[in-house]
Amino acid sequence: MKSINKCLIEKNLQLMGKMMKQVIWLLSALTIAMSPTLVKAEDILRGGQLIETGSFIGQGGHTVSGEFQIIKKGEIHYLVLQDNFKFDGAPDPKIGFSRNDEFSEDSLFSGLNLDQGKQIYRLPFDFDPDQYDEVTLWCDKFNADLAEAKY
């Protein structure tokens, strides 16, 4: 009986060792894959021109804070949510733009990737910041304004 238990323990330890190696390999691969992307995204903005800036204010009972920038590099505009960006969450949040407090559904360009922290979004090629006066977090599911950031 002792030899059977000892054999089972050894097999379980071997299996756990293999699984740990796979987890470590996967985490290493993800770290390597993500690191160049994040560094490259920051590099893209280097030398860009600051076009607009503002701060988010929650709408409809949502708590949203933090700052954004619109940066132009060459012919491309980028929306940068700063490190201090925080959003209390909602189903299916999207990012778009408004003018005179009227949201433009045609301006939706991306889902919100994270509820907090720095994020960089490439805006559509034909984006013109002069057509709008605020960045809007929008809930497509409930057709509701979650946050505004005037510029």
Side-chain angles (χ1 to χ4, degrees):
M1 187 71 159
K2 286 185 179 180
S3 64
I4 292 173
N5 284 341
K6 186 177 179 181
C7 186
L8 286 173
I9 290 171
E10 286 179 17
K11 284 188 177 188
N12 283 338
L13 287 174
Q14 288 175 352
L15 182 61
M16 286 174 54
K18 286 181 183 178
M19 288 174 34
M20 287 301 294
K21 285 181 184 177
Q22 289 175 345
V23 168
I24 290 169
W25 180 86
L26 180 61
L27 290 173
S28 298
L30 284 172
T31 301
I32 291 169
M34 290 178 69
S35 293
T37 303
L38 293 174
V39 171
K40 187 175 181 182
E42 289 290 331
D43 288 345
I44 286 173
L45 300 177
R46 191 168 289 124
Q49 177 187 4
L50 178 63
I51 303 295
E52 301 290 352
T53 188
S55 298
F56 283 97
I57 298 172
Q59 302 292 313
H62 284 278
T63 303
V64 186
S65 61
E67 299 165 349
F68 79 91
Q69 294 178 331
I70 295 176
I71 295 176
K72 184 175 183 182
K73 176 118 185 239
E75 295 300 313
I76 306 296
H77 289 88
Y78 298 89
L79 174 67
V80 181
L81 305 184
Q82 296 300 320
D83 290 324
N84 62 357
F85 175 77
K86 289 184 182 176
F87 171 54
D88 64 359
D92 199 29
K94 306 258 195 257
I95 307 172
F97 294 89
S98 298
R99 181 166 190 83
N100 298 326
D101 290 323
E102 290 293 322
F103 177 67
S104 171
E105 285 194 47
D106 294 339
S107 73
L108 285 175
F109 67 92
S110 178
L112 183 66
N113 291 333
L114 301 168
D115 288 344
Q116 63 181 7
K118 188 167 191 169
Q119 301 168 58
I120 301 170
Y121 298 89
R122 181 179 173 170
L123 296 171
F125 185 75
D126 61 350
F127 175 77
D128 179 1
D130 293 332
Q131 291 181 351
Y132 308 101
D133 60 9
E134 67 186 49
V135 178
T136 304
L137 293 185
W138 185 257
C139 180
D140 227 10
K141 184 174 182 176
F142 293 107
N143 202 32
D145 189 356
L146 302 171
E148 299 174 345
K150 297 224 183 260
Y151 60 87

